[in-house]
Amino acid sequence: MYVAVKGGEAAILNSYQLLARQRRGDAAQPELSVAQIRQQLKLAVDRVMTEGSVYDPELAALAIKQAAGDLVEAIFLLRAYRATLPRLGTTCALDTSRMVLDRRISATFKDLPGGQVLGPTYDYTQRLLDFKLLAEGPVAPPAAAAAAVPPGPTPRVVDLLNQEGLIETRPVPPGDPAPTDLTREPLRFPANRATRLQNLARGDEGFLLAMAYSTQRGYSHSHPFVGEVRLGTVAVEIEPEELGFAIDIGDIEITECEMVNQFAGSKSQPPQFTRGYGLAFGHSERKAMAMSLVDRALRADELGEPVESPAQMQEFVLGHSDSLEASGFVQHLKLPHYVDFQSELELVRKMRAAAAHPTTPAEEDAA
């Protein structure tokens, strides 16, 4: 038994070395630095930060390098590190109305206060391979004109609907409790909206994208419009008890999406538009949009709509959206299941033998 344990340990240690060799690749090629990943694989870094629940581009880039580009593994590494950090304080709610915009679009109004700002996007590219990127040596990016972003706060698109009372308003109620911290407390059902949004922000982008797609295919009885997608930097503030007022501790880049959905009304509410909301670190439009679609679908119960589709079911969506839990549960199948399988194997053999030699009723009575 001791020899078997030591042999297994040696194999595991050797696998570490093989993994490091695989991660490094051909030693004749320059090694990819953390700084390069941070600067040139920005969208991957932003996804790892969002689903890892840590806004730190350098640590996210380090996790991507250590995981050899496996983003789910990188998210795991970042969350594991996060669990070791002390909680120093709680920030105030982000005031995204004061966001310094790099990109801002709306699919509901062509001409809106502040205008459309396309910013950096793949939306209008032809999705053709750019073979110039294979060229040796540095390639200077093309010059781009600075976006004409209006100074000061830019009004929200939903404010235009608010002026006519055509969209729901959700003011913060007095005595509104602090949201549940899913990093410290287990998820419980039914979950309130603040908890659901926190879960969706940490959820796997691919899973949320599939759920959002299902709502567009008719599996939630809703017709969405992109009210607004915003990308930019916003101030992070804290309010120390000894000061009694908020102070700015820095800026972070975020993507925010507000989805507008039609609502037929209920006994207590007239027909109006309702909202779905999504927010993610960095430039993460697909994640924020998917999140807002799923958020709106999960509000079916509170709006009095029938809950019939998977995207409307809290337990299904929130319980299966986390990439770490999903990956761990799937990959645990690689671990030894020898005893379980042998029992299944013996059972199948007995069933096959019984099927090959069926007993008559008289034999069964004699037995």
Side-chain angles (χ1 to χ4, degrees):
M1 187 66 179
Y2 178 77
V3 174
V5 171
K6 294 298 290 184
E9 182 181 358
I12 290 173
L13 294 176
N14 191 47
S15 75
Y16 293 165
Q17 297 176 0
L18 293 173
L19 183 62
R21 184 185 304 172
Q22 175 182 282
R23 177 171 57 241
R24 176 59 181 89
D26 186 356
Q29 299 295 326
E31 183 174 0
L32 187 63
S33 69
V34 170
Q36 287 175 307
I37 295 173
R38 176 178 177 177
Q39 294 296 325
Q40 300 178 41
L41 299 181
K42 181 181 183 303
L43 300 183
V45 169
D46 291 346
R47 176 179 174 179
V48 171
M49 288 196 304
T50 298
E51 297 180 28
S53 300
V54 177
Y55 190 90
D56 192 317
E58 184 175 43
L59 291 181
L62 172 61
I64 292 173
K65 178 176 180 177
Q66 183 176 336
D70 184 339
L71 297 190
V72 174
E73 182 70 18
I75 291 162
F76 199 157
L77 292 170
L78 195 58
R79 281 205 204 171
Y81 176 75
R82 184 188 191 279
T84 69
L85 300 177
R87 177 66 58 86
L88 301 179
T90 304
T91 67
C92 304
L94 297 179
D95 184 0
T96 56
S97 67
R98 295 189 291 144
M99 186 187 301
V100 179
L101 298 174
D102 294 318
R103 173 166 160 78
R104 185 259 193 143
I105 60 168
S106 171
T108 51
F109 294 97
K110 179 181 179 181
D111 299 314
L112 64 157
Q116 308 265 8
V117 182
L118 294 186
T121 178
Y122 286 105
D123 291 348
Y124 308 101
T125 60
Q126 295 180 307
R127 268 75 176 197
L128 300 175
L129 284 176
D130 185 358
F131 291 98
K132 290 184 294 184
L133 299 178
L134 289 174
E136 296 289 340
V139 178
V149 180
T154 303
R156 298 178 180 278
V157 169
V158 294
D159 292 339
L160 302 177
L161 298 174
N162 274 334
Q163 294 173 4
E164 299 183 55
L166 296 178
I167 194 168
E168 62 173 339
T169 56
R170 298 184 63 83
V172 178
D176 185 35
T180 301
D181 185 350
L182 288 180
T183 66
R184 297 186 172 193
E185 301 178 36
L187 177 65
R188 294 185 175 89
F189 299 106
N192 60 29
R193 192 181 183 197
T195 303
R196 298 198 304 261
L197 286 171
Q198 186 180 164
N199 182 286
L200 295 177
R202 290 160 54 88
D204 180 72
E205 181 178 311
F207 177 85
L208 292 186
L209 186 63
M211 288 291 97
Y213 182 42
S214 74
T215 69
Q216 294 180 273
R217 294 287 306 276
Y219 288 93
S220 71
H221 308 288
S222 63
H223 190 279
F225 297 91
V226 173
E228 188 170 12
V229 172
R230 289 182 171 215
L231 166 67
T233 55
V234 64
V236 178
E237 299 177 331
I238 61 171
E239 188 173 325
E241 294 182 3
E242 61 272 20
L243 294 182
F245 57 87
I247 59 173
D248 189 335
I249 61 172
D251 298 328
I252 62 173
E253 184 184 44
I254 61 171
T255 301
E256 181 185 43
C257 175
E258 284 194 286
M259 200 69 66
V260 177
N261 292 69
Q262 190 175 4
F263 176 54
S266 63
K267 294 181 180 179
S268 59
Q269 297 180 346
Q272 59 184 331
F273 291 105
T274 55
R275 307 183 192 191
Y277 186 77
L279 186 142
F281 287 149
H283 192 178
S284 307
E285 286 183 36
R286 186 169 51 232
K287 172 64 177 285
M289 291 180 65
M291 180 180 170
S292 63
L293 287 168
V294 177
D295 168 53
R296 174 56 181 84
L298 290 174
R299 298 183 59 205
D301 191 53
E302 71 178 77
L303 295 172
E305 298 172 339
V307 177
E308 301 171 340
S309 305
Q312 298 172 300
M313 301 174 183
Q314 287 191 26
E315 291 86 349
F316 183 85
V317 174
L318 304 184
H320 299 95
S321 63
D322 194 292
S323 65
L324 269 61
E325 292 188 12
S327 175
F329 203 68
V330 169
Q331 294 198 78
H332 99 283
L333 297 174
K334 295 184 292 187
L335 299 177
H337 287 71
Y338 310 134
V339 175
D340 293 344
F341 181 72
Q342 289 301 319
S343 64
E344 292 280 339
L345 185 60
E346 186 63 25
L347 177 60
V348 170
R349 284 170 176 165
K350 289 180 178 179
M351 293 171 64
R352 286 174 63 90
H357 304 285
T359 57
T360 64
E363 291 174 332
E364 291 180 357
D365 293 338

